[in-house]
Every structure is written in structure tokens, then in C-alpha cells.
Amino acid sequence: MCRHPTLYGKMLPVLVATGITLLLLQPPVDGELFTALADMEELLETEAVLITNLDSYVQAQEEKLMQLRRKVHEYRREHTEAARDVSAYLSNPVNAFLLTKRLTTDWRYVENLMTYEVGKEFLENVTSFRSVLKFPSDEDLNGAAVALMRLQDTYNLDTASLARGMLNGVQYSTKLSAGDCFELGRQSYLNGDYYHTVLWMREAMDRLTSEVNRTATKEDVLEYLAFSTFKQGNIQTALSMTEELLELVPDHERAVSNKAYYEKELQKEAQQKILRGDDGSEEVPIDTTTIQKEATAHVYDTSERKLYEQLCRGEQQPPIELRSQLVCRYTTNTSPFLRIGPLKLEEAYLRPYIVIYHEVMSDREIERIKQYARPRFRRATVQNYKTGELEFANYRISKSAWLKDAEDEMIRTISRRVEDMTGLTMETAEELQVVNYGIGGHYEPHFDFARREERNAFKSLGTGNRIATVLFYMSDVTQGGATVFPSLHLALWPRKGTAAFWFNLHASGRGDYATRHAACPVLTGTKWVSNKWIHERGQEFRRPCGLQLDHSEEEF
């Protein structure tokens, strides 16, 4: 059976030799030492051993201190850089990953180093800190690594460039060491994502050649790389890497076992080729591409996934014939209040009708909403269409909070503004949801409305389906973070103070499947949004059904 590598994590050896010292310190049996010079000469020999032992111990301590000083310098350099602009620093996903890594795997290394007879008091302080301060967990580290993989895939980021701290050609952050690349590969391995494991282990191998102070070992990289290459279907290359590993560590138990397994599998392949040749049939090559795709952690419908990523990268847009019909204008939406101050409306799409309102949320309002939302943030959930229950999902990575109109006059004002913008009542609308996307935060293609098979969705509210969506953008995003509609080839880019609006349902009450949309991962920057989901109940006279259907029956 082919064995996989164990989890990486080697402790620094301590150079304190005590066995010989204890042996030489055994008291003589024949009497007191001071009665004979010969005995004193032996004590000098004992002292020489003790000095050598003590010198070795001091060297070990100095080595520990040197390593700790290097860590202090590294941490202080990064911390000083972060302190210049905390928001900008943390909005970079590479910096966020490195910060998480420093406080998980790197910090465990420091703790292990300090447990060797030094740092007891400091470690007690660390223990007390853990009860009052936030510390990332291994799950956080894994999540940060997965986010980087997601960004790499969505935005076609080259592994080597990403390792250099470059995002879409812009240098943002510190370069990754071989150890950092190794950790990214290891996290991918833990998730069964062998495709990214190979990418990052190869990058770790490349970086090892130029590192003076090695942050990873070649044998560790080779072990993960060989097994992940095998899982991708390339047995011959996996065997070659395993043989290279055995040259470095001849008695490597897993490598010995894996080598035998790979050789056996190659013999089976060779035998199958011979049998195919005997019956005259052509040899069918193994399609490793399929294996690699299956090994990737994220699985999507191919066509929608491709469109989704292209839109996130800004490579797609609606045809010019449609865009030429779009206009910008001032609108009052028959609201008496808006006659005094009309809204700036920009059409984004005609069918379905999607618009963007400009300058509809002030900086003061945005900060007030953030202030209310931060203490309540919880990981965002989705509704299980079978049970109607809320649950976590990997395809929605963000934190959210809900704000009631009754809590603050400013929140009530925003609800009234939404009513003026849309012409729809807010009596049956959901509370204002505030969302902040984290590292690589995203929300994959989804519908805001409940489809026919989702019978339990919104049942507890008793207000019908979600007729419309208003999405406020509460921050600019440096790179990424667009709201995209794959079937429309449309991307809406975040701009602070603007709001997007669209109807999720046709006037007949049927769901408009063209409104399927997604939130692209945030590449750099921070994305804050808030949304108001408006329901059917109470809209009968505000958006009545027409005498004719406003959609084709063929759409369903």
C-alpha cells in the first residue's frame, strides 16, 4: 500500500551532552581526592570535560538566542511595515497569510526553541495572553492557504510571481521563503488538493537552491512532491523523485515502501500495454489532465466557472450592441422626496433590468454601519434549500451581521432611501445585512430568490420570495471583488457609496434565472457591502402583474 508523508514539524536538536559528564562525576571509591596530587590531576580532567560540556551548552544557548534575534528582527520588520498602514497591510492576502503563518507554525517553532531551559517566564506570559487575545488556529492557517489557492486560480496568478509577492504585476508584499511555499503546499496536501501541492512544492524546491539559511529541507519537499505527483497520475516521475529522496535518506521508511509500490504499478502498466499490443488494438494514453482537474479542491460547472473567472479578471463584458443602449440619468422614481434631490442612475443591463445608483450612502453612514456591525460579525451562512436551516458553506467565505431599523435612526434612513430608490415597501424586507469579505473572500454563483424546489426557503418569514436585491458598496476594492452575472457577461465593480439594484423575480412571480450572480474573490484591498433583500408581500400594488407575461415560457 502506498503511504503518504506525515505532517511536517521538526524540532531543533539541543547540543547538551550529559551522559559522559555524569559518568566522570562519579566519586572515587578509594578515599578523599585532596590526599593525593594524582587524584587532583584527575579532577582537572573532570573539570576539562565540564568546561567542554558547559561550552557546548553555551554555544547551544547562543545559537538559540541568535535564532530568536533573527525572529525578532523578522517580526519587527514586518510589524513596523504593517503599523504604517494596518488596513493596507492586512488587505493584502499574502501579508494576511504570512501573519497567520507567523502566529501558528512559526510561533510554535519559537515556543519549542524556548522550552529548552530558557524563556519559562515568557512562555507563562504567552499562556496568559491566549486567554485574553485572539490567536489564529490551524483551521485559520488552512483557510488562509486555501484563499491564496482560490486567488491563484481565479486570477491566473503565476506561482513564482505570487511567491515573489507580486499580484497581477504589482509588488505588494514580502517574498515567500522556501518554508512558506512548503507550508502552502502542505496545507494543500492536507486538503487533498494535489494539484496545488505540486505547484507549491516545486516552488519551494526552486527557492531552496538560493537560500543561505535553509527554511525547509529537500527531503521533506521531495516526500510531499513525489506522493502528490503520483496522486496526479504521473507514476514514473513520482518514482524518480522517490529514488532521489532515498539517495538523501537511504533508510526513509515511507520512501522505501512507496518505491516498491510505484515500481509494481509501472509493471502493471507495462503488462497492460503488452496485452493491448497482442490483440492489435492501439495504446490509449493516460489522460492526466482529467486526474489533475479532479484533484483540484474546487469543482464547478466548466462553462460557468470559466465565465465567472473571466469576468472576475475583467476579460468579458456584454456585447457593444447592448451597451450602446445603456444610459445614465437623474431619476425621482415618482418619489416626492427625490424630486428635491434626484438620484444618479446608471443602467448596467436592460433585461433583466440592473442599475447602479451613485452617491447613495455617505462616508459617515458607512462608518456608523461598520461600527454597529463589527461586534456582531459571524461567519456568513447560506440556507439549506431542503431544510430551510442556515449553515456554513465553503462557497461563501465572509462574515456578516444583521442590523434592525429600530436600532438607529441612520439605519431607518437607509431603509427609507431604499424604498425611494426602488418604489417598493420595506415593511416586509429583511434586516440590513452587513458583510465583510476576508482573505480571498468570495461567494460563488447563486440565486438570491428561492427556486421552486426550495419549498422551505423563507417559509418562517411568511413574506414570500425575494422580489429584489439592493447591494450597497461600502468600500473601494483595489483589485478583484466584482459582482458578476455569468449568463449576462456582466461585472459590477465596487465603488464606495454606490448601490446596485435588480429584480430577482419577473412581475409574474417567476424567478429570473438570468440574475444568477457571484462575488469575485478580493485580490487586494478590503470589501465591505451591505444589502437589503426585499420580499413579495406588500408589493402587489407597487409592482403589479401585467396583462401579458414579461418573460418567455421557454425560459422555464
Side-chain angles (χ1 to χ4, degrees), residues 282-300:
E282 293 183 2
E283 179 184 335
V284 181
I286 297 175
D287 184 5
T288 57
T289 321
T290 305
I291 298 173
Q292 290 177 6
K293 286 181 180 178
E294 289 176 353
T296 306
H298 315 293
V299 181
Y300 302 84

Side-chain angles (χ1 to χ4, degrees), residues 39-49 51:
D39 291 337
M40 295 296 294
E41 290 174 358
E42 291 179 7
L43 288 180
L44 287 172
E45 294 176 2
T46 301
E47 188 180 48
V49 172
I51 291 172

Side-chain angles (χ1 to χ4, degrees), residues 12-15 56-76 109-110 112-120 122:
L12 180 73
V14 181
L15 304 175
S56 297
Y57 177 78
V58 170
Q59 289 180 29
Q61 297 301 315
E62 288 176 345
E63 175 62 22
K64 286 190 289 184
L65 289 173
M66 286 176 61
Q67 294 195 46
L68 290 172
R69 286 193 186 100
R70 283 197 293 267
K71 284 295 181 183
V72 168
H73 177 73
E74 175 188 337
Y75 289 169
R76 181 171 288 132
Y109 169 80
V110 172
N112 288 333
L113 187 61
M114 295 178 64
T115 54
Y116 294 105
E117 302 183 21
V118 293
K120 182 179 179 181
F122 182 76

Side-chain angles (χ1 to χ4, degrees), residues 196-220:
H196 286 108
T197 303
V198 170
L199 287 181
W200 285 98
M201 288 301 174
R202 287 190 182 279
E203 186 63 29
M205 188 69 77
D206 291 342
R207 290 185 170 272
L208 272 176
T209 58
S210 58
E211 281 190 345
V212 177
N213 298 312
R214 295 289 180 90
T215 56
T217 64
K218 188 175 182 180
E219 49 266 36
D220 284 325

Side-chain angles (χ1 to χ4, degrees), residues 437-452:
Y437 290 86
I439 313 168
H442 71 141
Y443 192 177
E444 289 174 12
H446 62 282
F447 301 101
D448 280 352
F449 65 88
R451 290 167 289 170
R452 287 182 175 180

Side-chain angles (χ1 to χ4, degrees), residues 392-439:
F392 297 133
N394 290 330
Y395 58 82
R396 188 181 191 188
I397 304 298
S398 61
K399 283 191 173 181
S400 64
W402 298 84
L403 305 182
K404 299 178 185 293
D405 285 357
E407 294 182 49
D408 191 275
E409 178 61 32
M410 191 171 287
I411 300 173
R412 290 193 292 276
T413 299
I414 291 170
S415 288
R416 288 194 294 267
R417 190 173 305 148
V418 172
E419 186 163 332
D420 290 335
M421 289 164 56
T422 64
L424 301 173
T425 180
M426 296 296 106
E427 291 297 324
T428 56
E430 295 179 41
E431 297 168 2
L432 184 70
Q433 185 190 46
V434 185
V435 181
N436 181 227
Y437 290 86
I439 313 168

Side-chain angles (χ1 to χ4, degrees), residues 59-188:
Q59 289 180 29
Q61 297 301 315
E62 288 176 345
E63 175 62 22
K64 286 190 289 184
L65 289 173
M66 286 176 61
Q67 294 195 46
L68 290 172
R69 286 193 186 100
R70 283 197 293 267
K71 284 295 181 183
V72 168
H73 177 73
E74 175 188 337
Y75 289 169
R76 181 171 288 132
R77 183 186 67 241
E78 286 297 319
H79 189 78
T80 302
E81 179 66 24
R84 290 183 186 137
D85 190 336
V86 174
S87 179
Y89 183 88
L90 292 178
S91 68
N92 183 336
V94 175
N95 286 341
F97 166 76
L98 290 175
L99 175 61
T100 307
K101 178 176 177 291
R102 286 198 300 273
L103 293 175
T104 51
T105 54
D106 284 5
W107 192 253
R108 277 197 293 270
Y109 169 80
V110 172
E111 288 183 351
N112 288 333
L113 187 61
M114 295 178 64
T115 54
Y116 294 105
E117 302 183 21
V118 293
K120 182 179 179 181
E121 181 179 350
F122 182 76
L123 286 174
E124 289 174 351
N125 289 337
V126 172
T127 302
S128 64
F129 290 159
R130 289 187 182 278
S131 63
V132 294
L133 299 178
K134 290 184 179 179
F135 277 77
S137 64
D138 288 338
E139 183 181 356
D140 293 318
L141 175 60
N142 186 263
V146 169
L148 277 181
M149 302 304 104
R150 184 186 308 123
L151 292 171
Q152 184 178 15
D153 291 345
T154 304
Y155 296 103
N156 275 345
L157 302 178
D158 174 64
T159 307
S161 298
L162 187 54
R164 290 195 299 270
M166 296 185 68
L167 302 175
N168 278 345
V170 182
Q171 185 72 46
Y172 281 104
S173 59
T174 307
K175 297 178 181 179
L176 301 181
S177 66
D180 297 329
C181 296
F182 174 87
E183 185 62 29
L184 279 168
R186 188 180 77 89
Q187 293 296 328
S188 297

